[in-house]
Amino acid sequence: MKTALVIGLLLTGLGASAAMAAPPSTEQKAEFHATCMGIAQDETLCSCKAEATAKLIDSDFMTVVIASMGGKTLDPKYAVRYNDYVAHSNQICKPNY
């Protein structure tokens, strides 16, 4: 019984720390916007996606997204999360896409 309680508390603590990940910083949003504009040259889209990131991803994953947008090969371990991010940001910023 004690073991189950300890495991439950550990899992709860891990979930809480993951939920408290820092949102993308103002600097990251600016870098994202600049990178997006270099690719899409669409102010409306890039501004929307830069703002949507705060709702969709944390600052650590924002680093991955910006690097990928800049041409760095995406590590396969991020493929599902990256695709989910793209799909959700498109739903927000390109609703009829």
Side-chain angles (χ1 to χ4, degrees), residues 32-33 35-37 39 64-72 82 85:
F32 177 96
H33 183 270
T35 304
C36 180
M37 286 298 291
I39 297 166
V64 173
V65 169
I66 293 169
S68 179
M69 289 171 59
K72 183 175 180 189
Y82 185 84
Y85 158 73

Side-chain angles (χ1 to χ4, degrees), residues 7 26 36 52 66 70 74 78-79 82:
I7 291 172
T26 301
C36 180
I66 293 169
L74 184 67
Y78 297 121
Y82 185 84

Side-chain angles (χ1 to χ4, degrees), residues 2-81:
K2 285 184 181 181
T3 303
L5 179 60
V6 170
I7 291 172
L9 289 172
L10 286 172
L11 291 174
T12 302
L14 290 174
S17 65
M20 293 182 167
S25 68
T26 301
E27 293 80 12
Q28 284 179 307
K29 287 184 194 177
E31 183 180 2
F32 177 96
H33 183 270
T35 304
C36 180
M37 286 298 291
I39 297 166
Q41 300 170 352
D42 183 335
E43 179 62 40
T44 302
L45 175 66
C46 293
S47 292
C48 179
K49 285 202 172 218
E51 287 305 313
T53 61
K55 300 172 190 138
L56 300 173
I57 61 177
D58 62 21
S59 62
D60 291 340
F61 196 64
M62 179 66 125
T63 302
V64 173
V65 169
I66 293 169
S68 179
M69 289 171 59
K72 183 175 180 189
T73 302
L74 184 67
D75 187 319
K77 71 182 179 183
Y78 297 121
V80 171
R81 188 172 178 199

Side-chain angles (χ1 to χ4, degrees), residues 45 48-49 52-53 55-56 82-97:
L45 175 66
C48 179
K49 285 202 172 218
T53 61
K55 300 172 190 138
L56 300 173
Y82 185 84
N83 289 337
D84 286 347
Y85 158 73
V86 170
H88 287 106
S89 65
N90 283 345
Q91 286 174 338
I92 294 168
C93 299
K94 298 168 80 172
N96 296 320
Y97 180 71

